[in-house]
PDB file of all heavy atoms in Angstrom:
ATOM      1  N   ALA A  27      28.880 117.914 137.569  1.00 81.00           N
ATOM      2  CA  ALA A  27      28.678 119.351 137.367  1.00 81.00           C
ATOM      3  C   ALA A  27      28.019 119.967 138.593  1.00 81.00           C
ATOM      4  O   ALA A  27      28.373 121.071 139.011  1.00 81.00           O
ATOM      5  CB  ALA A  27      27.835 119.590 136.118  1.00 81.00           C
ATOM      6  N   ASN A  28      27.084 119.248 139.187  1.00 81.00           N
ATOM      7  CA  ASN A  28      26.392 119.760 140.369  1.00 81.00           C
ATOM      8  C   ASN A  28      27.366 119.941 141.534  1.00 81.00           C
ATOM      9  O   ASN A  28      27.326 120.967 142.221  1.00 81.00           O
ATOM     10  CB  ASN A  28      25.246 118.826 140.753  1.00 81.00           C
ATOM     11  CG  ASN A  28      24.279 119.477 141.713  1.00 81.00           C
ATOM     12  OD1 ASN A  28      23.955 120.646 141.561  1.00 81.00           O
ATOM     13  ND2 ASN A  28      23.832 118.726 142.696  1.00 81.00           N
ATOM     14  N   GLU A  29      28.240 118.969 141.754  1.00 88.00           N
ATOM     15  CA  GLU A  29      29.241 119.091 142.823  1.00 88.00           C
ATOM     16  C   GLU A  29      30.163 120.278 142.558  1.00 88.00           C
ATOM     17  O   GLU A  29      30.540 120.991 143.485  1.00 88.00           O
ATOM     18  CB  GLU A  29      30.089 117.820 142.923  1.00 88.00           C
ATOM     19  CG  GLU A  29      29.488 116.739 143.749  1.00 88.00           C
ATOM     20  CD  GLU A  29      30.465 115.577 143.949  1.00 88.00           C
ATOM     21  OE1 GLU A  29      31.699 115.793 143.980  1.00 88.00           O
ATOM     22  OE2 GLU A  29      29.969 114.446 144.069  1.00 88.00           O
ATOM     23  N   LEU A  30      30.538 120.478 141.285  1.00 86.00           N
ATOM     24  CA  LEU A  30      31.408 121.598 140.931  1.00 86.00           C
ATOM     25  C   LEU A  30      30.749 122.925 141.288  1.00 86.00           C
ATOM     26  O   LEU A  30      31.347 123.771 141.946  1.00 86.00           O
ATOM     27  CB  LEU A  30      31.741 121.553 139.439  1.00 86.00           C
ATOM     28  CG  LEU A  30      32.551 122.735 138.903  1.00 86.00           C
ATOM     29  CD1 LEU A  30      33.919 122.811 139.561  1.00 86.00           C
ATOM     30  CD2 LEU A  30      32.677 122.632 137.398  1.00 86.00           C
ATOM     31  N   VAL A  31      29.507 123.103 140.869  1.00 83.00           N
ATOM     32  CA  VAL A  31      28.817 124.363 141.138  1.00 83.00           C
ATOM     33  C   VAL A  31      28.619 124.569 142.635  1.00 83.00           C
ATOM     34  O   VAL A  31      28.852 125.658 143.155  1.00 83.00           O
ATOM     35  CB  VAL A  31      27.475 124.435 140.375  1.00 83.00           C
ATOM     36  CG1 VAL A  31      26.666 125.643 140.806  1.00 83.00           C
ATOM     37  CG2 VAL A  31      27.732 124.478 138.876  1.00 83.00           C
ATOM     38  N   LEU A  32      28.233 123.523 143.346  1.00 85.00           N
ATOM     39  CA  LEU A  32      28.048 123.650 144.799  1.00 85.00           C
ATOM     40  C   LEU A  32      29.368 124.019 145.482  1.00 85.00           C
ATOM     41  O   LEU A  32      29.391 124.863 146.385  1.00 85.00           O
ATOM     42  CB  LEU A  32      27.483 122.361 145.384  1.00 85.00           C
ATOM     43  CG  LEU A  32      26.035 122.042 145.021  1.00 85.00           C
ATOM     44  CD1 LEU A  32      25.649 120.658 145.551  1.00 85.00           C
ATOM     45  CD2 LEU A  32      25.094 123.099 145.566  1.00 85.00           C
ATOM     46  N   GLY A  33      30.463 123.400 145.050  1.00 88.00           N
ATOM     47  CA  GLY A  33      31.769 123.716 145.622  1.00 88.00           C
ATOM     48  C   GLY A  33      32.198 125.138 145.332  1.00 88.00           C
ATOM     49  O   GLY A  33      32.710 125.843 146.211  1.00 88.00           O
ATOM     50  N   LEU A  34      31.977 125.587 144.090  1.00 86.00           N
ATOM     51  CA  LEU A  34      32.337 126.963 143.737  1.00 86.00           C
ATOM     52  C   LEU A  34      31.480 127.966 144.491  1.00 86.00           C
ATOM     53  O   LEU A  34      31.965 129.010 144.916  1.00 86.00           O
ATOM     54  CB  LEU A  34      32.213 127.171 142.224  1.00 86.00           C
ATOM     55  CG  LEU A  34      33.250 126.441 141.373  1.00 86.00           C
ATOM     56  CD1 LEU A  34      32.945 126.629 139.897  1.00 86.00           C
ATOM     57  CD2 LEU A  34      34.660 126.894 141.711  1.00 86.00           C
ATOM     58  N   LYS A  35      30.204 127.638 144.672  1.00 84.00           N
ATOM     59  CA  LYS A  35      29.333 128.511 145.466  1.00 84.00           C
ATOM     60  C   LYS A  35      29.904 128.682 146.865  1.00 84.00           C
ATOM     61  O   LYS A  35      29.934 129.786 147.415  1.00 84.00           O
ATOM     62  CB  LYS A  35      27.918 127.931 145.560  1.00 84.00           C
ATOM     63  CG  LYS A  35      27.077 128.138 144.339  1.00 84.00           C
ATOM     64  CD  LYS A  35      25.675 127.583 144.551  1.00 84.00           C
ATOM     65  CE  LYS A  35      24.814 127.791 143.332  1.00 84.00           C
ATOM     66  NZ  LYS A  35      23.426 127.401 143.529  1.00 84.00           N
ATOM     67  N   GLN A  36      30.375 127.581 147.449  1.00 87.00           N
ATOM     68  CA  GLN A  36      30.921 127.630 148.806  1.00 87.00           C
ATOM     69  C   GLN A  36      32.195 128.465 148.851  1.00 87.00           C
ATOM     70  O   GLN A  36      32.399 129.255 149.775  1.00 87.00           O
ATOM     71  CB  GLN A  36      31.181 126.219 149.328  1.00 87.00           C
ATOM     72  CG  GLN A  36      31.484 126.161 150.801  1.00 87.00           C
ATOM     73  CD  GLN A  36      30.338 126.710 151.653  1.00 87.00           C
ATOM     74  OE1 GLN A  36      29.180 126.383 151.446  1.00 87.00           O
ATOM     75  NE2 GLN A  36      30.673 127.550 152.610  1.00 87.00           N
ATOM     76  N   VAL A  37      33.062 128.314 147.843  1.00 87.00           N
ATOM     77  CA  VAL A  37      34.297 129.102 147.795  1.00 87.00           C
ATOM     78  C   VAL A  37      33.967 130.596 147.756  1.00 87.00           C
ATOM     79  O   VAL A  37      34.501 131.385 148.533  1.00 87.00           O
ATOM     80  CB  VAL A  37      35.168 128.721 146.570  1.00 87.00           C
ATOM     81  CG1 VAL A  37      36.305 129.727 146.378  1.00 87.00           C
ATOM     82  CG2 VAL A  37      35.726 127.315 146.717  1.00 87.00           C
ATOM     83  N   PHE A  38      33.058 130.982 146.862  1.00 83.00           N
ATOM     84  CA  PHE A  38      32.715 132.402 146.742  1.00 83.00           C
ATOM     85  C   PHE A  38      31.964 132.913 147.967  1.00 83.00           C
ATOM     86  O   PHE A  38      32.085 134.076 148.326  1.00 83.00           O
ATOM     87  CB  PHE A  38      31.930 132.671 145.463  1.00 83.00           C
ATOM     88  CG  PHE A  38      32.813 132.677 144.240  1.00 83.00           C
ATOM     89  CD1 PHE A  38      32.876 131.580 143.419  1.00 83.00           C
ATOM     90  CD2 PHE A  38      33.595 133.778 143.954  1.00 83.00           C
ATOM     91  CE1 PHE A  38      33.699 131.574 142.302  1.00 83.00           C
ATOM     92  CE2 PHE A  38      34.420 133.795 142.844  1.00 83.00           C
ATOM     93  CZ  PHE A  38      34.479 132.679 142.013  1.00 83.00           C
ATOM     94  N   LYS A  39      31.220 132.046 148.619  1.00 83.00           N
ATOM     95  CA  LYS A  39      30.543 132.437 149.856  1.00 83.00           C
ATOM     96  C   LYS A  39      31.577 132.694 150.951  1.00 83.00           C
ATOM     97  O   LYS A  39      31.505 133.690 151.667  1.00 83.00           O
ATOM     98  CB  LYS A  39      29.569 131.345 150.287  1.00 83.00           C
ATOM     99  CG  LYS A  39      28.767 131.691 151.517  1.00 83.00           C
ATOM    100  CD  LYS A  39      27.794 130.578 151.859  1.00 83.00           C
ATOM    101  CE  LYS A  39      26.999 130.912 153.088  1.00 83.00           C
ATOM    102  NZ  LYS A  39      26.082 129.828 153.461  1.00 83.00           N
ATOM    103  N   ASN A  40      32.547 131.785 151.070  1.00 83.00           N
ATOM    104  CA  ASN A  40      33.585 131.923 152.097  1.00 83.00           C
ATOM    105  C   ASN A  40      34.474 133.131 151.856  1.00 83.00           C
ATOM    106  O   ASN A  40      34.856 133.840 152.787  1.00 83.00           O
ATOM    107  CB  ASN A  40      34.467 130.671 152.145  1.00 83.00           C
ATOM    108  CG  ASN A  40      33.729 129.458 152.639  1.00 83.00           C
ATOM    109  OD1 ASN A  40      32.644 129.547 153.204  1.00 83.00           O
ATOM    110  ND2 ASN A  40      34.301 128.292 152.381  1.00 83.00           N
ATOM    111  N   VAL A  41      34.823 133.377 150.617  1.00 79.00           N
ATOM    112  CA  VAL A  41      35.790 134.420 150.295  1.00 79.00           C
ATOM    113  C   VAL A  41      35.149 135.802 150.223  1.00 79.00           C
ATOM    114  O   VAL A  41      35.680 136.768 150.742  1.00 79.00           O
ATOM    115  CB  VAL A  41      36.502 134.091 148.960  1.00 79.00           C
ATOM    116  CG1 VAL A  41      37.376 135.236 148.507  1.00 79.00           C
ATOM    117  CG2 VAL A  41      37.330 132.832 149.116  1.00 79.00           C
ATOM    118  N   GLY A  42      34.010 135.905 149.552  1.00 74.00           N
ATOM    119  CA  GLY A  42      33.458 137.224 149.323  1.00 74.00           C
ATOM    120  C   GLY A  42      32.066 137.445 149.844  1.00 74.00           C
ATOM    121  O   GLY A  42      31.463 138.486 149.604  1.00 74.00           O
ATOM    122  N   GLY A  43      31.517 136.471 150.543  1.00 76.00           N
ATOM    123  CA  GLY A  43      30.177 136.627 151.066  1.00 76.00           C
ATOM    124  C   GLY A  43      29.098 136.528 150.001  1.00 76.00           C
ATOM    125  O   GLY A  43      27.970 136.954 150.218  1.00 76.00           O
ATOM    126  N   THR A  44      29.431 135.961 148.834  1.00 75.00           N
ATOM    127  CA  THR A  44      28.460 135.804 147.761  1.00 75.00           C
ATOM    128  C   THR A  44      27.367 134.848 148.201  1.00 75.00           C
ATOM    129  O   THR A  44      27.639 133.768 148.692  1.00 75.00           O
ATOM    130  CB  THR A  44      29.160 135.257 146.491  1.00 75.00           C
ATOM    131  OG1 THR A  44      30.211 136.132 146.151  1.00 75.00           O
ATOM    132  CG2 THR A  44      28.191 135.124 145.345  1.00 75.00           C
ATOM    133  N   LYS A  45      26.133 135.267 148.032  1.00 76.00           N
ATOM    134  CA  LYS A  45      25.008 134.443 148.477  1.00 76.00           C
ATOM    135  C   LYS A  45      24.595 133.412 147.447  1.00 76.00           C
ATOM    136  O   LYS A  45      24.102 132.352 147.780  1.00 76.00           O
ATOM    137  CB  LYS A  45      23.817 135.329 148.827  1.00 76.00           C
ATOM    138  CG  LYS A  45      24.072 136.200 150.021  1.00 76.00           C
ATOM    139  CD  LYS A  45      22.889 137.068 150.345  1.00 76.00           C
ATOM    140  CE  LYS A  45      23.232 137.947 151.537  1.00 76.00           C
ATOM    141  NZ  LYS A  45      22.234 138.942 151.798  1.00 76.00           N
ATOM    142  N   ASP A  46      24.786 133.722 146.169  1.00 74.00           N
ATOM    143  CA  ASP A  46      24.370 132.778 145.137  1.00 74.00           C
ATOM    144  C   ASP A  46      25.315 132.887 143.950  1.00 74.00           C
ATOM    145  O   ASP A  46      25.938 133.918 143.725  1.00 74.00           O
ATOM    146  CB  ASP A  46      22.934 133.061 144.698  1.00 74.00           C
ATOM    147  CG  ASP A  46      22.306 131.871 143.977  1.00 74.00           C
ATOM    148  OD1 ASP A  46      22.887 130.769 144.020  1.00 74.00           O
ATOM    149  OD2 ASP A  46      21.248 132.045 143.377  1.00 74.00           O
ATOM    150  N   LEU A  47      25.417 131.819 143.219  1.00 74.00           N
ATOM    151  CA  LEU A  47      26.303 131.772 142.068  1.00 74.00           C
ATOM    152  C   LEU A  47      25.650 130.906 141.007  1.00 74.00           C
ATOM    153  O   LEU A  47      25.170 129.814 141.308  1.00 74.00           O
ATOM    154  CB  LEU A  47      27.657 131.163 142.466  1.00 74.00           C
ATOM    155  CG  LEU A  47      28.628 130.875 141.333  1.00 74.00           C
ATOM    156  CD1 LEU A  47      29.256 132.177 140.838  1.00 74.00           C
ATOM    157  CD2 LEU A  47      29.713 129.925 141.800  1.00 74.00           C
ATOM    158  N   ASN A  48      25.600 131.403 139.802  1.00 77.00           N
ATOM    159  CA  ASN A  48      25.143 130.627 138.661  1.00 77.00           C
ATOM    160  C   ASN A  48      26.217 130.697 137.598  1.00 77.00           C
ATOM    161  O   ASN A  48      26.864 131.735 137.427  1.00 77.00           O
ATOM    162  CB  ASN A  48      23.829 131.183 138.103  1.00 77.00           C
ATOM    163  CG  ASN A  48      22.692 130.970 139.065  1.00 77.00           C
ATOM    164  OD1 ASN A  48      22.423 129.850 139.470  1.00 77.00           O
ATOM    165  ND2 ASN A  48      22.028 132.049 139.446  1.00 77.00           N
ATOM    166  N   ILE A  49      26.418 129.617 136.892  1.00 78.00           N
ATOM    167  CA  ILE A  49      27.416 129.572 135.835  1.00 78.00           C
ATOM    168  C   ILE A  49      26.680 129.369 134.521  1.00 78.00           C
ATOM    169  O   ILE A  49      25.849 128.472 134.397  1.00 78.00           O
ATOM    170  CB  ILE A  49      28.428 128.434 136.080  1.00 78.00           C
ATOM    171  CG1 ILE A  49      29.172 128.676 137.394  1.00 78.00           C
ATOM    172  CG2 ILE A  49      29.402 128.326 134.909  1.00 78.00           C
ATOM    173  CD1 ILE A  49      30.087 127.555 137.811  1.00 78.00           C
ATOM    174  N   TYR A  50      27.010 130.215 133.541  1.00 81.00           N
ATOM    175  CA  TYR A  50      26.380 130.137 132.229  1.00 81.00           C
ATOM    176  C   TYR A  50      27.428 129.891 131.160  1.00 81.00           C
ATOM    177  O   TYR A  50      28.563 130.345 131.269  1.00 81.00           O
ATOM    178  CB  TYR A  50      25.610 131.422 131.925  1.00 81.00           C
ATOM    179  CG  TYR A  50      24.474 131.639 132.883  1.00 81.00           C
ATOM    180  CD1 TYR A  50      24.631 132.438 134.004  1.00 81.00           C
ATOM    181  CD2 TYR A  50      23.256 131.008 132.688  1.00 81.00           C
ATOM    182  CE1 TYR A  50      23.599 132.615 134.907  1.00 81.00           C
ATOM    183  CE2 TYR A  50      22.211 131.191 133.583  1.00 81.00           C
ATOM    184  CZ  TYR A  50      22.393 131.986 134.684  1.00 81.00           C
ATOM    185  OH  TYR A  50      21.371 132.154 135.580  1.00 81.00           O
ATOM    186  N   ILE A  51      27.027 129.178 130.131  1.00 78.00           N
ATOM    187  CA  ILE A  51      27.893 128.872 128.999  1.00 78.00           C
ATOM    188  C   ILE A  51      27.276 129.502 127.762  1.00 78.00           C
ATOM    189  O   ILE A  51      26.059 129.411 127.556  1.00 78.00           O
ATOM    190  CB  ILE A  51      28.008 127.346 128.811  1.00 78.00           C
ATOM    191  CG1 ILE A  51      28.642 126.720 130.046  1.00 78.00           C
ATOM    192  CG2 ILE A  51      28.803 127.010 127.565  1.00 78.00           C
ATOM    193  CD1 ILE A  51      28.620 125.210 130.039  1.00 78.00           C
ATOM    194  N   PHE A  52      28.107 130.128 126.932  1.00 78.00           N
ATOM    195  CA  PHE A  52      27.608 130.703 125.686  1.00 78.00           C
ATOM    196  C   PHE A  52      27.563 129.602 124.637  1.00 78.00           C
ATOM    197  O   PHE A  52      28.570 128.982 124.321  1.00 78.00           O
ATOM    198  CB  PHE A  52      28.500 131.851 125.224  1.00 78.00           C
ATOM    199  CG  PHE A  52      27.974 132.571 124.020  1.00 78.00           C
ATOM    200  CD1 PHE A  52      26.872 133.400 124.132  1.00 78.00           C
ATOM    201  CD2 PHE A  52      28.570 132.408 122.789  1.00 78.00           C
ATOM    202  CE1 PHE A  52      26.371 134.070 123.036  1.00 78.00           C
ATOM    203  CE2 PHE A  52      28.081 133.074 121.679  1.00 78.00           C
ATOM    204  CZ  PHE A  52      26.974 133.906 121.804  1.00 78.00           C
ATOM    205  N   ASP A  53      26.385 129.347 124.108  1.00 74.00           N
ATOM    206  CA  ASP A  53      26.180 128.326 123.085  1.00 74.00           C
ATOM    207  C   ASP A  53      26.320 128.987 121.717  1.00 74.00           C
ATOM    208  O   ASP A  53      25.472 129.775 121.317  1.00 74.00           O
ATOM    209  CB  ASP A  53      24.791 127.694 123.259  1.00 74.00           C
ATOM    210  CG  ASP A  53      24.503 126.630 122.233  1.00 74.00           C
ATOM    211  OD1 ASP A  53      25.425 126.235 121.489  1.00 74.00           O
ATOM    212  OD2 ASP A  53      23.343 126.183 122.173  1.00 74.00           O
ATOM    213  N   GLU A  54      27.423 128.678 121.031  1.00 75.00           N
ATOM    214  CA  GLU A  54      27.705 129.299 119.735  1.00 75.00           C
ATOM    215  C   GLU A  54      26.613 129.012 118.712  1.00 75.00           C
ATOM    216  O   GLU A  54      26.268 129.871 117.915  1.00 75.00           O
ATOM    217  CB  GLU A  54      29.045 128.795 119.183  1.00 75.00           C
ATOM    218  CG  GLU A  54      30.243 129.435 119.803  1.00 75.00           C
ATOM    219  CD  GLU A  54      30.412 130.886 119.416  1.00 75.00           C
ATOM    220  OE1 GLU A  54      30.023 131.287 118.300  1.00 75.00           O
ATOM    221  OE2 GLU A  54      30.944 131.638 120.243  1.00 75.00           O
ATOM    222  N   SER A  55      26.069 127.798 118.723  1.00 69.00           N
ATOM    223  CA  SER A  55      25.090 127.440 117.696  1.00 69.00           C
ATOM    224  C   SER A  55      23.799 128.238 117.819  1.00 69.00           C
ATOM    225  O   SER A  55      23.209 128.639 116.828  1.00 69.00           O
ATOM    226  CB  SER A  55      24.794 125.939 117.717  1.00 69.00           C
ATOM    227  OG  SER A  55      24.239 125.569 118.954  1.00 69.00           O
ATOM    228  N   SER A  56      23.343 128.478 119.048  1.00 72.00           N
ATOM    229  CA  SER A  56      22.092 129.220 119.225  1.00 72.00           C
ATOM    230  C   SER A  56      22.327 130.674 119.621  1.00 72.00           C
ATOM    231  O   SER A  56      21.377 131.440 119.729  1.00 72.00           O
ATOM    232  CB  SER A  56      21.222 128.537 120.285  1.00 72.00           C
ATOM    233  OG  SER A  56      21.847 128.616 121.553  1.00 72.00           O
ATOM    234  N   LYS A  57      23.607 131.030 119.863  1.00 74.00           N
ATOM    235  CA  LYS A  57      23.972 132.393 120.277  1.00 74.00           C
ATOM    236  C   LYS A  57      23.222 132.816 121.545  1.00 74.00           C
ATOM    237  O   LYS A  57      22.760 133.942 121.678  1.00 74.00           O
ATOM    238  CB  LYS A  57      23.713 133.414 119.158  1.00 74.00           C
ATOM    239  CG  LYS A  57      24.446 133.131 117.879  1.00 74.00           C
ATOM    240  CD  LYS A  57      25.932 133.273 118.046  1.00 74.00           C
ATOM    241  CE  LYS A  57      26.625 133.092 116.703  1.00 74.00           C
ATOM    242  NZ  LYS A  57      27.986 132.687 116.820  1.00 74.00           N
ATOM    243  N   THR A  58      23.073 131.878 122.476  1.00 75.00           N
ATOM    244  CA  THR A  58      22.393 132.168 123.738  1.00 75.00           C
ATOM    245  C   THR A  58      23.244 131.664 124.897  1.00 75.00           C
ATOM    246  O   THR A  58      24.110 130.815 124.730  1.00 75.00           O
ATOM    247  CB  THR A  58      21.014 131.480 123.814  1.00 75.00           C
ATOM    248  OG1 THR A  58      21.191 130.070 123.687  1.00 75.00           O
ATOM    249  CG2 THR A  58      20.075 131.987 122.746  1.00 75.00           C
ATOM    250  N   LEU A  59      22.963 132.189 126.068  1.00 79.00           N
ATOM    251  CA  LEU A  59      23.602 131.703 127.285  1.00 79.00           C
ATOM    252  C   LEU A  59      22.762 130.566 127.849  1.00 79.00           C
ATOM    253  O   LEU A  59      21.533 130.648 127.872  1.00 79.00           O
ATOM    254  CB  LEU A  59      23.722 132.826 128.318  1.00 79.00           C
ATOM    255  CG  LEU A  59      24.702 133.932 127.955  1.00 79.00           C
ATOM    256  CD1 LEU A  59      24.556 135.092 128.921  1.00 79.00           C
ATOM    257  CD2 LEU A  59      26.122 133.421 127.963  1.00 79.00           C
ATOM    258  N   LYS A  60      23.442 129.530 128.317  1.00 78.00           N
ATOM    259  CA  LYS A  60      22.740 128.384 128.882  1.00 78.00           C
ATOM    260  C   LYS A  60      23.267 128.111 130.284  1.00 78.00           C
ATOM    261  O   LYS A  60      24.446 128.265 130.554  1.00 78.00           O
ATOM    262  CB  LYS A  60      22.918 127.161 127.993  1.00 78.00           C
ATOM    263  CG  LYS A  60      22.319 127.385 126.621  1.00 78.00           C
ATOM    264  CD  LYS A  60      22.247 126.133 125.823  1.00 78.00           C
ATOM    265  CE  LYS A  60      21.600 126.462 124.493  1.00 78.00           C
ATOM    266  NZ  LYS A  60      20.626 125.549 124.078  1.00 78.00           N
ATOM    267  N   ASN A  61      22.361 127.695 131.139  1.00 77.00           N
ATOM    268  CA  ASN A  61      22.722 127.347 132.508  1.00 77.00           C
ATOM    269  C   ASN A  61      23.640 126.135 132.469  1.00 77.00           C
ATOM    270  O   ASN A  61      23.322 125.120 131.856  1.00 77.00           O
ATOM    271  CB  ASN A  61      21.451 127.054 133.306  1.00 77.00           C
ATOM    272  CG  ASN A  61      21.720 126.864 134.777  1.00 77.00           C
ATOM    273  OD1 ASN A  61      22.655 126.161 135.166  1.00 77.00           O
ATOM    274  ND2 ASN A  61      20.910 127.478 135.601  1.00 77.00           N
TER     275      ASN A  61
END
Side-chain angles (χ1 to χ4, degrees):
N28 195 41
E29 275 187 31
L30 175 63
V31 172
L32 290 174
L34 290 175
K35 282 182 180 186
Q36 191 60 46
V37 169
F38 284 101
K39 183 178 180 182
N40 292 345
V41 173
T44 304
K45 294 180 182 172
D46 198 12
L47 172 75
N48 292 304
I49 298 174
Y50 297 95
I51 298 172
F52 185 72
D53 180 10
E54 282 290 329
S55 62
S56 66
K57 302 294 185 203
T58 59
L59 291 170
K60 298 191 178 225
N61 188 315

